[in-house]
Amino acid sequence: MTEAFVVKREIQIAAPPASVFAFLTDPQKIVSWMGVEASTELHPGGLFYLKGVAGDHARAARGAFREVVPVHRLAYSFGWEGGEEVPPGSSLIEIDLIDKDSGTLVRMTHSGLPNAAQCASHDKGWAHYLDRLAGAAAGRDQGPDHGPAH
């Protein structure tokens, strides 16, 4: 059975997997492309926390790492604090980093979303943030995060 509400995206990044992995796991590097505050505990069961931006108020996402395979794979639960449709830990983000074409192919799957509206919203968010990740990992300043355009 295939799950109906899944976001899948791929992007090629002009940086080695180790560099991209650092931008996905090091809190100081995370906030260079996403959010305003981050915290990570890189072991199964460890905390993933991101204070992001959404309109005029900041939103916080929280989850727990399920898999941490340095420079190759991350999997963590994800959800929004105070979110009724996607509460903390209710969805799953899986990111594979594949060494390809003198860079890194990032293959991201976000599953466990509850409906088409949340799927579309998260798809839009991932499009925005994966582009920012690609720029940051390639050494370009991404400027302040204002979130995806509405």
Side-chain angles (χ1 to χ4, degrees):
M1 181 175 137
T2 58
E3 194 172 348
F5 304 115
V6 176
V7 174
K8 292 184 180 221
R9 290 204 159 259
E10 287 188 357
I11 190 168
Q12 180 71 25
I13 297 180
S19 178
V20 176
F21 188 82
F23 275 92
L24 291 167
T25 57
D26 178 324
Q28 289 184 319
K29 290 185 184 300
I30 292 169
V31 297
S32 72
W33 62 277
M34 176 188 249
V36 295
E37 180 185 336
S39 179
T40 57
E41 298 170 354
L42 294 177
H43 57 82
L47 171 74
F48 171 84
Y49 173 81
L50 175 71
K51 185 174 183 180
V53 295
D56 295 330
H57 63 282
R59 293 178 69 191
R62 183 178 300 273
F65 285 97
R66 294 191 184 170
E67 288 181 72
V68 179
V69 182
V71 312
H72 297 293
R73 180 172 168 81
L74 288 172
Y76 54 95
S77 64
F78 178 90
W80 298 102
E81 290 184 347
E84 292 182 17
E85 290 190 286
V86 186
S90 66
S91 65
L92 178 65
I93 296 170
E94 298 170 277
I95 301 172
D96 291 297
L97 305 176
I98 300 141
D99 193 347
K100 184 177 177 189
D101 299 333
S102 302
T104 304
L105 176 65
V106 176
R107 186 171 290 146
M108 186 283 311
T109 303
H110 190 165
S111 59
L113 296 166
N115 55 48
Q118 285 296 324
C119 196
S121 174
H122 284 84
D123 185 54
K124 185 176 184 179
W126 279 113
H128 170 77
Y129 285 115
L130 288 175
D131 283 346
R132 286 180 57 88
L133 169 62
R140 294 188 301 278
D141 182 354
Q142 297 303 291
D145 176 15
H146 298 291
H150 296 287

